[in-house]
Amino acid sequence: MEFVELIKTPKVDGVILHRPFQSPLDGTLCITGHHLILSTRVEHHEELWLLHRNIDCIERRFDANRGAIVIKCKNLQILRLDIPGQEEALNIADSIETLSTLEDISLWYPFYFRPRQFDILEDGWQAFNVESELTRLISHADHSWRISHVNKDFTVCPTYPETVAVPKSVTDELLLASASFRDGGRFPVLSYYHGDNGAVIMRSSQPLVGTTGRRCKEDERVLNASLRPGKKGYIIDTRSPNLIQMAKNRGGGCEPEVNYSQWKRVHRPVERHTALQESLCKLVDACNDSRASMDKWLSRLESSNWLGHVKDILTCACLTAQCVDKEGASVLVHGGEGIDSTLQVTALSQVILDPDCRTVRGFEALVEREWIQAGHPFNDRCGKSAYSPARSRYEAPAFLLFLDSVWQVYQQFPCSFEFSTQFLIVLFEHAYASQFGTFLCNSECDKRKLNLQRRAVSLWSWVNRPEVLQNYLNPLYEPNKSVIWPSVAPQSLELWSELYLRWTQDNSILDETNKQILCIKEHNKELRTKVVRIRRQLMDLQKEAIEKGLLAAGNHGNTETASEAYSSSAS
Amino acid sequence: MANKATGKGYENENFYSDIKFMFLGIGNIHVMRNSLLKLLEVCELKDPTMSEYVEGLQSCAWLKHIKAILDTSLFIASAVGEEGNSVLVHCSDGWDRTAQTCSVASLLLDPSYRTLQGFMVLIEKEWLSLGHKFTDRCGHLARDLKETSPVFSQFIDCTWQVLQQFPAAFQFNERFLLTIHDHVFSCQYGTFIGNCEKDRIDLRLPDRTYSLWGYMLHNMSDYVNPLYKRNGRYDTMLKPNTGPPNIRFWRGMYNRFDSGVHPRESVLDVLCVAKDQSSSLEDHLQLLNKRLGAMKALLGQNSVTSCDSLTDSAVLSDVESDARCRNAASVPASNNKLLQSTEAVVRGNAANSESPSDCESGIDVKSLRISQCSLEEKRSAELRAGELEMEANSVAVEWKTLRNVHNCSCLTQFEYFSRKYHCWKCGDVFCTRCIDKHTALPGHYSQRPVPVCRNCYKEVKCNV
C-alpha cells in the first residue's frame, strides 16, 4: 500500500490553526504519510509537526464554504484547523482519520524514522539487556537465585522475555509445570531483590484453580523455594473477592491456603481496564471545561475517581514495600493476567524501596524490566487516549496511572529523584505516540517477530544523549539512600496539573520557576568549587612564601595542619 | 433585598448616573463560618477515601467561596488596572467582604503590597484602620459566637492561592502567612486587638503592647521567599487563573499539624539554604581573593590576575541587601511608629527601584558603602600564616543536608513548618533556640554578624 493513495488533498493554503494561549497561526497545511504539517513558510517561524499516531480523534464542523477540524491528541492537546473550501476540509479530515488509525504496525512512523539530527551514541536497545539487568539484581543474593532460559524462543510464556530470574533450587522442569498452571504461562518470577534483608518481590498471573480446585505441587514448590528459612510470605492479590469468584468460574482463581500454607493471602483491590479508561476520560473532560463552577468541578473530579485509583495503587505498593522492608517477608503480587495492576504495584513499590530506581538510568531500567519486557501490552492499552469515542475493551491507562503515582511520590520527595517531572511526561507521550520503537508491540516476542531492534530506533538512544537528558534532570536532586514512604492521605494527593491542565493553562510561570531553581542551585555549586579551588591555591602560595622566607610561620600551628584544615573542609 | 427591608440597600440607579452596577455575590459571615466548620470536619475525617474527601470539599463549599472572592477581586483589579475605571466596593457594612476584595485587588494590582513590609501595610490599611472587627470576628472575647467569621482567614487563603500561581511574585513565603494568621488569634501582640482604630487608642495599645510587625521584621529571614524576583514580569498586575482546578485546598493551613500529610522534603527550605550558603561563600570568596592578591604581591607575582571581578560585584550587592535586612529589623517596635516607618520604607522602595538586590528592603546604601571603605582598611592588614587557617576554618563550605534531620541537637523535634537553621561556621542544623547567636566570622570579608551555633560562637569569641 502506498500512503499516497490515502492522501486525497496533500496541501492546502490559508489554513488557520487555533490553540489555547497562542495566537492563531496562518499557513500551509501539508499531509504526509506520518505527519500533519502546518508551516507559515516564513523562515525561523514555528511549524507544527503533528504525528498522525498522536491523533486520538477528530471532529468535523463544516459550514457552507469552509470547514473546521478539531483535532484531539493522545497527549491531551486540542487543536482546531480552519480550512478554506469544504471539499478540501472533507478530504483532509478523511485522510487524517485513516492515517491515524492504520492497523498495520509496520506502517507506523517508527519503521520510517531515521535520526538525522543525531548519531546513535549508545544503542538504547542494548542499554537494558534483560540478562545483565537481572544478573545485577540478583548479584547481592548470595547465589540463592539464578537466571533461567526456560523461555527460550518464547515457547513457555509468550509475554515473558526469554530470560527470567528464579530461585536457585528450582529446575526448569518445575517451571514448565508451574507455567502450565498459571494464566498465560506467567509462572512466578523475580521482580525485585531487597539487598537489605534478602526479601523479594515476585510476580505472576493467577493460578488456574477453577471451580474444581485444581492443584499444582510444582507451583507450590516454586513459590516455597523463594522463601527464606522460617519466614512466611505474602500473596498480594490486586482483585476483590468478588472478582476472584468470577475468575474461578472461568478457570482462574487464587491460591487456596491449604495448599500454600506458608503464604498469607491479602486482597487489595485496584481498578482495571474499562473502568480506568472511563475514569481518565471523565477526568480529562472535567479538566478541559474551564467554565465550570467549583461545585461542578469537584463533583466531576469525584465521579471520575481518578485520584481514588491513584490512592489505591499507592496504598497497595506501600503495603508490598512494607512487607518487604519492615517484615523482611517475600511477596508474590498478581491479579488476573498479571500484566496490568500487577506491574503497577511491583514497579511502584520498587520506586519506594530502591534508590536506584529514582535515578534516570534506574527508572528507565525499571520501565524496561517491569513494563516493556514484563509484557504489558502497550499496543493494546495505549491505542487510544482520553478522547476517542471508539475504544476497544483492551484500552486502559495503566501505565499513565503508574506515572501519576510516581509523580505523587515525587511531590512528597522532590529532592530524591534524579529526573524531573517533565521526564515522566515524556514517557507518557511516547507510550501513546512516538517516532521510536520502544513502546511498540505487546511483548518482546512480538517485537522479535517484527525485527524491531533493527528496523526502529529506541527511545533510550535519544533521551540518554547528554544534550537531551540535561533538559530532564532535577536540579534539586540529592541522592537518597533510604526507603521513601509516601503519604497516601487524600490531602497529600493532588491533581497532576502539569499533565492534565498542560494545554489549558499558561505553563510559562512553571518553566520560569524551574529555571530559577536551576539557577540558584548552579550558582551555589559554582561557588563551592570556586572556594575550594582558591583555598588550595592560597595554601600552595603560602607554603611557597614560607619556604622562601617571605612569611613567618604562624604562631599557632604549622603549615602542615593548616593545609589539612583546608583540604578537610574542602572534601 | 433583605437589606432593603430594614431601610438599607444599594444606590438607586436613577440618582447615580454614569455608574455600572455589578453584583458579585459572596456569602455573608454566617455562611463562611459554617463553611469553615464543615471544612475542618473534612480535614479531621479518620482515614477517608478519596471520594469522601472530595465530596466533603464540595459540600463545605469553602473553595467555592475562595473562588468567589478571587473572582470579584480580579474583576475589581481589571476594572482599575486595565480599563482605567474607578470602582466603589461595598457590601452591607463595608468591613468584611469589602475588606477582602479590596485588599486582594490591591495585592493583584500593586507589586509593593507583595513585599514583606508592603503586606503589613496592606493589613494595616485595609483591615486594621478601616475597622475590620478583629475582636468580634476572631472571637477574642467569648461574647457573641454569631459574630465570629473566618473573613480574615479567607483573605490569607486567597493570598496563598495567588502565591501558588505566581511563586516569584511575592517576597514572603507560606510561613509568613501562617505566622500572621496565628497571631491574629493569639493576642500575644497588640496589633489585632480591638474592633477598630478607636478601640486601640482607647486601650492605649501602642503604649501597653508590642506590635506583631516588630517581631516579624526581626525574624525576617524566616519569611523570605527564595524565588522572589523584584523586577521583571511580575512588576505589573497579576491575573491569577481562577478556573476551579487552580483553586486548591490549603493543606499547610487546615492540616498543618497532621505531620504525616506534608511533603517529606521542602523545595523552599532547600532553596533558602542554598541561597544563604551562597551568600556566605560569596563573602568568603571576596576575602580569599583579597588574600590571594596580597599573597601574590608578597611573592612578587602580578596581582591583577587574581581578582575575580565577577564575584566581587555580586558580593557587594548581596552584602548590602543583607545589612539592610538587619537594619530593617532594628526599626522600633511600637505600633504607631511602625506603621509610619513601614510605609516610608515602601515609598522609599518605589523610588529606589533600580536597587539590584532581590531580597530585602531599601534602607541606607550610602552609609554602608562608607563602612565598607573603613572595612577595607581594617582588613587589609598584612598576611599571617595562622590567620589564613583560622579564616578558612570559620566558613563551612559544605552544609549539612536537611534530609532526615528530625530534631535539633537539643532534641527539639522539627515540624514540617518549623525553620531549620544552619550554623554558618560549622554547617550543622539547629532549631531556632539553639541558633540565637550572631557574630562576624573571620573568614567573611564584610564582617557582618551571621547566625552561628553556641559552640561556634564560643570558638570565634575565644580566637578574637
Side-chain angles (χ1 to χ4, degrees), chain A residues 208-493:
Chain A
L208 299 173
V209 177
T211 40
T212 54
R214 266 191 303 271
R215 180 174 180 186
C216 174
K217 291 200 168 153
E218 289 88 347
D219 185 70
E220 290 157 28
R221 279 173 62 193
V222 172
L223 277 189
N224 290 341
S226 72
L227 291 175
R228 289 182 302 146
K231 280 275 186 184
K232 273 206 158 198
Y234 287 88
I235 296 176
I236 295 183
D237 197 317
T238 63
R239 297 167 297 173
S240 62
N242 245 347
L243 221 54
I244 292 174
Q245 195 51 51
M246 278 161 64
K248 264 190 190 157
N249 297 334
R250 278 184 268 121
C254 60
E255 295 82 355
E257 289 197 11
V258 240
N259 302 338
Y260 296 83
S261 54
Q262 284 171 283
W263 295 81
K264 190 169 157 38
R265 217 176 57 226
V266 189
H267 297 283
R268 276 288 172 279
V270 297
E271 203 50 84
R272 56 199 73 229
H273 303 311
T274 350
L276 273 192
Q277 184 70 32
E278 271 167 24
S279 167
L280 177 68
C281 294
K282 281 189 188 164
L283 177 79
V284 171
D285 266 356
C287 288
N288 283 334
D289 184 1
S290 55
R291 272 165 304 185
S293 68
M294 187 52 95
D295 266 347
K296 185 100 186 158
W297 156 251
L298 288 175
S299 95
R300 292 174 79 170
L301 182 66
E302 194 272 324
S303 83
S304 84
N305 201 25
W306 179 261
L307 287 173
H309 302 319
V310 171
K311 182 169 153 56
D312 289 344
I313 295 286
L314 272 170
T315 314
C316 191
C318 283
L319 177 75
T320 308
Q322 228 162 13
C323 294
V324 170
D325 187 64
K326 302 271 189 226
E327 294 192 31
S330 292
V331 181
L332 170 72
V333 183
H334 72 71
E337 295 171 279
I339 50 177
D340 294 296
S341 52
T342 308
L343 305 181
Q344 290 173 331
V345 172
T346 54
L348 192 57
S349 39
Q350 291 179 53
V351 171
I352 294 168
L353 287 168
D354 186 1
D356 193 47
C357 289
R358 296 171 224 138
T359 64
V360 174
R361 299 295 289 217
F363 194 73
E364 289 171 357
L366 183 76
V367 169
E368 270 285 339
R369 189 161 41 90
E370 288 300 296
W371 287 92
I372 299 171
Q373 289 158 5
H376 178 68
F378 277 97
N379 204 28
D380 288 347
R381 297 291 183 261
C382 302
K384 291 287 174 194
S385 168
Y387 296 120
S388 174
R391 281 191 292 265
S392 83
R393 62 192 181 89
Y394 299 112
E395 253 110 50
F399 186 61
L400 173 59
L401 187 60
F402 162 70
L403 293 177
D404 195 326
S405 310
V406 174
W407 182 83
Q408 304 288 350
V409 183
Y410 195 113
Q411 292 314 292
Q412 301 183 29
F413 295 89
C415 305
S416 297
F417 290 83
E418 190 189 10
F419 48 88
S420 68
T421 50
Q422 204 59 39
F423 185 66
L424 298 174
I425 296 180
V426 168
L427 293 183
F428 157 69
E429 288 201 322
H430 284 279
Y432 279 85
S434 175
Q435 65 268 47
F436 302 106
T438 299
F439 290 107
L440 286 187
C441 302
N442 283 331
S443 62
E444 283 298 289
C445 178
D446 287 1
K447 277 189 173 147
R448 179 75 57 83
K449 281 183 203 148
L450 284 170
N451 203 4
L452 203 65
Q453 296 206 4
R454 291 179 157 241
R455 295 172 65 193
V457 180
S458 161
L459 170 65
W460 314 129
S461 303
W462 170 72
V463 89
N464 284 338
R465 295 178 62 79
E467 78 275 11
V468 178
L469 196 58
Q470 68 175 7
N471 302 316
Y472 303 120
L473 294 178
N474 174 11
L476 294 167
Y477 179 55
E478 199 186 309
N480 186 351
K481 289 283 158 232
S482 15
V483 178
I484 53 176
W485 297 109
S487 155
V488 295
Q491 287 95 325
S492 305
L493 305 181

Side-chain angles (χ1 to χ4, degrees), chain A residues 530-546:
Chain A
K530 209 176 227 169
V531 164
V532 171
R533 203 190 66 220
I534 297 192
R535 276 185 182 183
R536 281 220 185 97
Q537 199 183 347
L538 203 51
M539 275 337 285
D540 290 346
L541 289 176
Q542 175 176 287
K543 217 167 163 188
E544 194 184 327
I546 291 172

Side-chain angles (χ1 to χ4, degrees), chain B residues 165-447:
Chain B
Q165 292 193 26
F166 302 95
F170 290 83
Q171 191 188 18
F172 49 81
N173 58 19
E174 187 176 0
R175 191 184 287 119
F176 177 75
L177 295 175
L178 289 173
T179 309
I180 291 181
H181 191 258
D182 283 348
H183 288 294
V184 166
F185 292 90
S186 76
C187 295
Q188 187 181 346
Y189 298 93
T191 309
F192 294 104
I193 292 175
N195 275 329
C196 58
E197 206 60 37
K198 183 171 180 300
D199 283 1
R200 282 183 276 276
I201 292 170
D202 289 347
L203 285 166
R204 292 192 297 112
L205 286 177
D207 304 330
R208 294 165 63 198
T209 64
Y210 284 101
S211 160
L212 171 64
W213 310 136
Y215 161 77
M216 291 189 74
L217 288 171
H218 191 73
N219 296 291
M220 196 124 113
S221 71
D222 292 2
Y223 309 120
V224 171
N225 170 10
L227 291 169
Y228 177 56
K229 264 190 181 162
R230 167 159 288 148
N231 298 313
R233 68 185 284 183
Y234 305 113
D235 251 5
T236 50
M237 189 185 140
L238 300 182
K239 291 183 77 176
N241 184 337
T242 59
N246 297 294
I247 312 288
R248 289 157 55 194
F249 166 76
W250 188 4
R251 177 177 58 209
M253 172 82 119
Y254 308 107
N255 278 110
R256 182 168 161 199
F257 299 103
D258 299 306
S259 55
V261 305
H262 300 293
R264 306 301 201 270
E265 294 166 347
S266 156
V267 174
L268 289 184
D269 282 355
V270 169
L271 291 178
C272 272
V273 171
K275 278 199 130 178
D276 280 350
Q277 191 187 11
S278 296
S279 155
S280 168
L281 292 180
E282 275 169 353
D283 203 342
H284 183 50
L285 259 183
Q286 208 181 6
L287 183 76
L288 286 181
N289 274 326
K290 190 143 191 66
R291 294 283 179 256
L292 199 62
M295 190 67 88
K296 283 188 175 169
L298 186 73
L299 286 163
Q301 292 178 2
N302 189 356
S303 67
V304 180
T305 49
S306 73
C307 256
D308 209 321
S309 58
L310 187 139
T311 49
D312 272 7
S313 62
V315 174
L316 197 68
S317 71
D318 206 80
V319 171
E320 269 167 25
S321 67
D322 245 65
R324 269 180 280 140
C325 186
R326 278 197 320 282
N327 275 350
S330 61
V331 163
S334 96
N335 229 343
N336 257 340
K337 270 187 202 152
L338 194 89
L339 175 57
Q340 287 157 8
S341 69
T342 47
E343 269 186 332
V345 168
V346 171
R347 266 187 237 114
N349 259 352
N352 188 16
S353 61
E354 85 279 47
S355 151
S357 88
D358 56 340
C359 62
E360 294 56 62
S361 40
I363 294 187
D364 209 347
V365 186
K366 247 185 226 155
S367 70
L368 217 115
R369 285 251 160 76
I370 295 165
S371 68
Q372 205 94 51
C373 291
S374 58
L375 246 170
E376 198 104 10
E377 284 159 26
K378 201 172 77 193
R379 303 232 59 193
S380 64
E382 80 281 17
L383 293 162
R384 272 204 304 271
E387 209 159 82
L388 285 180
E389 177 198 2
M390 192 179 74
E391 282 167 4
N393 273 335
S394 76
V395 178
V397 179
E398 299 298 331
W399 286 15
K400 192 173 168 186
T401 165
L402 294 179
R403 177 175 289 148
N404 296 331
V405 176
H406 302 298
N407 46 261
C408 171
S409 56
C410 71
L411 298 181
T412 304
Q413 290 260 326
F414 287 123
E415 304 281 327
Y416 176 65
F417 284 104
S418 46
R419 166 113 193 252
K420 306 171 189 85
Y421 298 84
H422 277 92
C423 168
W424 289 34
K425 182 175 178 301
C426 64
D428 213 340
V429 181
F430 297 90
C431 72
T432 176
R433 284 199 210 147
C434 294
I435 200 100
D436 53 349
K437 299 276 191 260
H438 283 66
T439 182
L441 299 178
H444 275 169
Y445 181 76
S446 69
Q447 289 302 296

